[in-house]
Amino acid sequence: MTESEQPSVPLSVLLADPALGLRQVAGPAGDHLVSTVGTTEIEDPSPYLVGGELLLTAGVRLPADAEGIDTYVRGVVGAGVTALGFGVVPVHDEVPPELVAACDRHGLPLLRLPPATPFVAVGQATYAAIAAVRNRELREISRAQSALAAAAARPDALRAVLTQLSGHTGAWAVLHDARGNELFSAGPRPAPPTPGRVRDLAVRTIARVRTGAAGRSVPAAAADHQGGTHLTVHTLPGADGTATALALGLAATTAPTLVHRQVTGTAAVLLALLTSPRHALGTDTHSAGALVRLMLGAAPADVAASLAPADATEDAGHWVVVHGRHTFPRSAQGDDPAQLATLGTALGTPYLYIDGSELKALVASAPDARPEVPAQAADLGWVLGFSTPAPASDLAHADVRAGRALQRAIAAQVPAGVDTRGPLTVHGIVPSADARELARTRFAPLDGAASPGAAILLDTLRTWLTLHGSWDRTAAALHVHRNTVRHRLARIAELLDVDLQDPGVRMELWFALHWLPDEDRS
């Protein structure tokens, strides 16, 4: 336990106790913290002090001259004494003026103990006050831990835990990944450059996490104090022996107390558990039971209710399908627990599947809800495509629509695309079976196309139509030369025997692409 964490009581509490009758006669005012009470009558007590004491003396061996008294006071101040208590009578009728002057000179609070106050009474009162402070601290820690535990059980657990941590510490709380991306934060955001300083400290701290025995990561912590702002960073312990990828940062205008440190430690453990593989993958009994039923032949519509969140409303019953593609260079594996937990919290679902740079997810939804695009996904390097809410029986079509929304987002170079197909559209008027047959027939001439093949020609056509016929933007989206795009589209026009400059032709092809069966596009 560090000195700042020693149980202590402000000196003002003892001065305010009428039963003691203490009075400060020298030294600075203020709430100096007393952690213990000592009594001494030796000429130089400094070798026997540990700091934080209220040192009591009757002046039996107090030096007789001003120079000796000054040396005495300088010694106890150097040993870290908080205050000096001087008991008058029987040795001295009053506090010596030389002692008063020396305490003023060296900034040591000097208390006068009246004759009726025994030294033992001062000690008893001090320890009783310290016990009361410690009990208040323990109650505060207990309340905070209960609130954090309740937050960890919420669907948005990562964000909820940070909110409780901020509320109980008065600090801005933020969760960073190894690149310094700000995933979630809570509390009043400090003015620049504080957020940047927290980010840089988090990145440096994550970088120096070492691997201990049995291959388990050893969490690291760091602190910085500058300009009245106190920064602390804690890396999350690696779960199941894995290396940490996240760091918890705090920025406060006051120094962290024992209570704050205990609450922060609890929050760090909870956040580590929430980013563990078991929690990130949502392996609860309801999900496991639904998986068993699916593997034994149940239809998705039969088990969908078991996958819905416990707090879902009765009119939920629908699902949004999400497709994603990772655009940043990645050093971590696709099933990285931190990635899963962060994306799961951002999307509001535990049902995630990441395969390399590809993502699929299911999000429970009300029928008329519009999907929310989380900023954290873009920070992590994901481009997302969302279907509109669909019943479990229509998930296959929603899956296709999410994939097309993703393709449009990638082509347009935006963080996410949302499928906007409503019931009153051309797609809703034409029977789906007829539309799919039309699409298959329309693009059949591409089936025998030579290199690069039908799939690449179709992808080029889709991207070109998405970008409104822009050669340059299509080339950039496909990572090919603009002449390659021109050559492919000329080949498509030749095989399909169409004029791609005709708006009606483009509309017809766009409609057909929408309904082209998946097996014909691969």
Side-chain angles (χ1 to χ4, degrees), residues 83-178:
L84 183 65
F86 195 88
V88 296
V89 301
V91 181
H92 294 268
D93 294 332
E94 194 50 71
V95 180
E98 296 84 359
L99 183 59
V100 173
C103 288
D104 278 331
R105 188 161 48 249
H106 294 287
L108 178 66
L110 175 62
L111 310 185
R112 179 186 184 277
L113 276 68
T117 300
F119 285 5
V120 171
V122 176
Q124 290 175 336
T126 301
Y127 296 127
I130 288 175
V133 170
R134 176 45 58 92
N135 286 336
R136 286 196 299 271
E137 290 177 342
L138 292 175
R139 287 195 297 270
E140 185 176 349
I141 292 172
S142 178
R143 286 194 298 269
Q145 290 176 336
S146 296
L148 287 169
R154 290 172 51 92
D156 56 340
L158 294 178
R159 184 181 289 108
V161 168
L162 287 179
T163 299
Q164 289 296 331
L165 175 61
S166 174
H168 285 277
T169 61
W172 179 61
V174 59
L175 195 64
H176 283 290
D177 68 6

Side-chain angles (χ1 to χ4, degrees), residues 218-318:
V218 179
D224 184 21
H225 176 212
Q226 183 178 351
T229 302
H230 297 262
L231 310 181
T232 54
V233 164
H234 299 264
T235 62
L236 301 189
D240 300 337
T242 60
T244 184
L246 299 176
L248 170 64
L250 296 173
T253 56
T254 58
T257 64
L258 171 62
V259 173
H260 294 164
R261 291 190 180 96
Q262 293 283 350
V263 173
T264 301
T266 300
V269 172
L270 287 174
L271 291 170
L273 292 173
L274 291 170
T275 54
S276 68
R278 175 172 295 277
H279 184 277
L281 294 173
T283 53
D284 57 84
T285 55
H286 291 289
S287 301
L291 176 61
V292 170
R293 293 171 63 191
L294 281 172
M295 294 183 70
L296 294 179
D302 297 333
V303 301
S306 299
L307 299 176
D311 58 352
T313 59
E314 293 183 0
D315 65 344
H318 281 58

Side-chain angles (χ1 to χ4, degrees), residues 320-325 347 370-374 377-378 382-388 398-421 466:
V320 171
V321 180
V322 184
H323 281 213
R325 183 171 300 170
L347 292 170
R370 179 173 176 82
E372 295 185 5
V373 180
W382 290 95
V383 178
L384 301 178
F386 295 80
S387 75
T388 49
D399 183 48
V400 173
R401 295 195 293 271
R404 291 171 180 169
L406 173 63
Q407 289 179 337
R408 292 196 297 273
I410 293 173
Q413 297 181 331
V414 295
V418 179
D419 179 51
T420 57
R421 186 175 74 100
T466 298

